[in-house]
Amino acid sequence: MCQANQCMFSRRMTQRYLRFALMKKGLNLRQVSEYRIMYDSNSHPESKDHCNAGGADGNVRLWSLSTKSCNSVLRSSSSSGGVATNAILNVDIRNKFILGCGSDRSCRIWSLETERLLHKFTGHSGKIYTGKFSPDCKIVATGSTDRKVMIWDLESGHRLRSLSCGSTCNSLDINEDGTLLVTGHQDNRIRLWDLRANVQQIKVVQVHTGQVTSTSFSSDGHSILTNSMDNSLCVFNDINTMVASHYLKHNEFRTRSVWSRSCFSPTAKYAAAGSIDGAVYIWDVMAEKVEKVLRSHTSTVTGMAWSKPGNRLATCDQTGFVVMWK
């Protein structure tokens, strides 16, 4: 077991203690963007354990993990003759807000308190693959197949900036103090942006030989984790230089989806990513070795998130199954 000031991950994390389907048959699940223990009684007084997921029916569902039931359905109202025309490709949750990025080139923001649609951001000319709130919930960043990243004001709903990237943006993340944005692209590159004052690109690096499918900051904002279709993860511990510190690989690990996400454990001691065969790989970052391979999924694992205490891991696959590990 890790030390008290480290994450609570154990090498014995092999127990699958919860598995259930988030979507009815025929509706593919894209991602569980955030699994977290929610203590906000105003949002969810009936339960503390929740996850959220966006699906091909254009809706975002909030699930109680304790009851394995859907508590809320946030609807995109994008349909034609009762048939959904918008698939939710990415979801994010922060404080009392939740966003869903759509294949209809828009990003929707809902209130978790009222479950009402607050904003619908339009301006991209391609599918929106990724979106993220800033930690203070003042801005939202979205990335699209139109090769642009856009910055939005959450309160007014107005677009603040449009950033040209030169390549489809598959993933993005904002660090904890809201000053840096990292984006991962179809051209195998990672771009780092300064969000202060005039937003500007400060670094472009290429360490992968395949599309970058996932980019995420560690919880302290000091490190960046990336995942790629070259079947490797990369860790950057020095954001100033963006020189790769660690490469994480395994002979059987394969990434084939642009929605394949990876994540740090809360202390960044471990990194997790899902493979095309349904296996979940957990690496010790410093040792650059696989600590555990978790098996339960039967299709490509696309989304995952660690609980803040670090003792639980949620993973989901493209057929709509979520597995909780402890």
Side-chain angles (χ1 to χ4, degrees):
M1 183 72 72
C2 303
Q3 296 177 355
N5 62 344
Q6 298 294 316
C7 74
M8 297 298 292
F9 170 76
S10 167
R11 294 184 182 182
R12 298 192 302 271
M13 183 185 274
T14 58
Q15 182 181 356
R16 185 192 76 188
Y17 75 95
L18 183 61
R19 185 178 190 268
F20 63 99
L22 288 178
M23 296 292 175
K24 62 185 180 181
K25 187 176 181 180
L27 297 179
N28 290 335
L29 177 74
R30 291 301 185 189
Q31 184 188 9
V32 172
S33 72
E34 294 283 349
Y35 162 66
R36 60 177 60 181
I37 298 174
M38 304 182 75
Y39 294 104
D40 188 346
S41 60
N42 293 323
S43 297
H44 296 286
E46 72 280 7
S47 178
K48 294 180 180 178
D49 293 313
H50 280 76
C51 69
N52 62 79
D57 62 349
N59 300 323
V60 175
R61 288 169 169 80
L62 281 70
W63 286 80
S64 167
L65 301 179
S66 57
T67 63
K68 294 189 288 185
S69 62
C70 179
N71 291 345
S72 304
V73 179
L74 308 179
R75 303 187 184 278
S76 67
S77 299
S78 180
S79 62
S80 178
V83 178
T85 58
N86 171 46
I88 299 297
L89 305 179
N90 175 260
V91 285
D92 187 35
I93 185 171
R94 175 75 70 162
N95 296 340
K96 298 176 182 179
F97 302 100
I98 187 168
L99 68 79
C101 299
S103 61
D104 66 348
R105 300 173 292 181
S106 68
C107 176
R108 293 167 173 81
I109 309 293
W110 291 271
S111 165
L112 279 175
E113 290 184 312
T114 65
E115 300 181 8
R116 292 185 177 180
L117 183 67
L118 301 177
H119 297 295
K120 180 181 178 181
F121 299 151
T122 57
H124 283 290
S125 60
K127 297 177 181 179
I128 302 178
Y129 276 179
T130 181
K132 203 79 173 181
F133 291 107
S134 64
D136 59 9
C137 282
K138 290 185 177 181
I139 64 170
V140 172
T142 56
S144 170
T145 59
D146 64 6
R147 304 180 179 183
K148 292 181 180 179
V149 169
M150 294 188 180
I151 311 296
W152 311 82
D153 182 88
L154 182 57
E155 183 176 3
S156 67
H158 295 156
R159 185 176 65 191
L160 301 177
R161 294 295 300 271
S162 178
L163 311 173
S164 295
C165 307
S167 177
T168 290
C169 181
N170 291 331
S171 176
L172 58 79
D173 195 17
I174 301 174
N175 69 342
E176 250 338 276
D177 63 10
T179 59
L180 294 174
L181 170 72
V182 63
T183 56
H185 298 269
Q186 195 176 71
D187 64 1
N188 311 342
R189 290 180 169 88
I190 302 154
R191 292 168 170 84
L192 192 65
W193 310 78
D194 188 339
L195 292 177
R196 290 167 292 193
N198 294 322
V199 180
Q200 59 181 338
Q201 183 175 275
I202 55 178
K203 290 284 184 183
V204 180
V205 296
Q206 183 174 346
V207 296
H208 290 291
T209 58
Q211 288 192 48
V212 179
T213 68
S214 179
T215 53
S216 56
F217 283 99
S218 57
S219 58
D220 60 11
H222 295 161
S223 301
I224 292 173
L225 175 68
T226 62
N227 189 12
S228 169
M229 285 189 179
D230 65 7
N231 306 318
S232 73
L233 279 66
C234 189
V235 177
F236 301 85
N237 287 332
D238 188 344
I239 295 178
N240 292 323
T241 63
M242 286 297 288
V243 174
S245 305
H246 303 285
Y247 288 93
L248 309 177
K249 301 180 180 181
H250 189 276
N251 290 337
E252 297 179 5
F253 174 74
R254 296 288 183 271
T255 298
R256 291 292 181 270
S257 170
V258 295
W259 291 286
S260 292
R261 305 306 190 207
S262 57
C263 66
F264 276 123
S265 64
T267 60
K269 179 176 175 59
Y270 299 98
S275 181
I276 190 173
D277 64 354
V280 177
Y281 289 79
I282 299 177
W283 285 268
D284 182 309
V285 172
M286 292 297 292
E288 297 185 357
K289 69 175 185 179
V290 172
E291 284 284 343
K292 187 65 62 178
V293 180
L294 309 177
R295 300 187 185 277
S296 178
H297 295 283
T298 58
S299 65
T300 301
V301 176
T302 55
M304 60 185 55
W306 237 294
S307 62
K308 286 190 174 181
N311 59 343
R312 295 180 182 181
L313 179 68
T315 57
C316 78
D317 61 42
Q318 285 189 328
T319 60
F321 279 93
V322 163
V323 177
M324 304 300 304
W325 306 88
K326 66 178 179 179

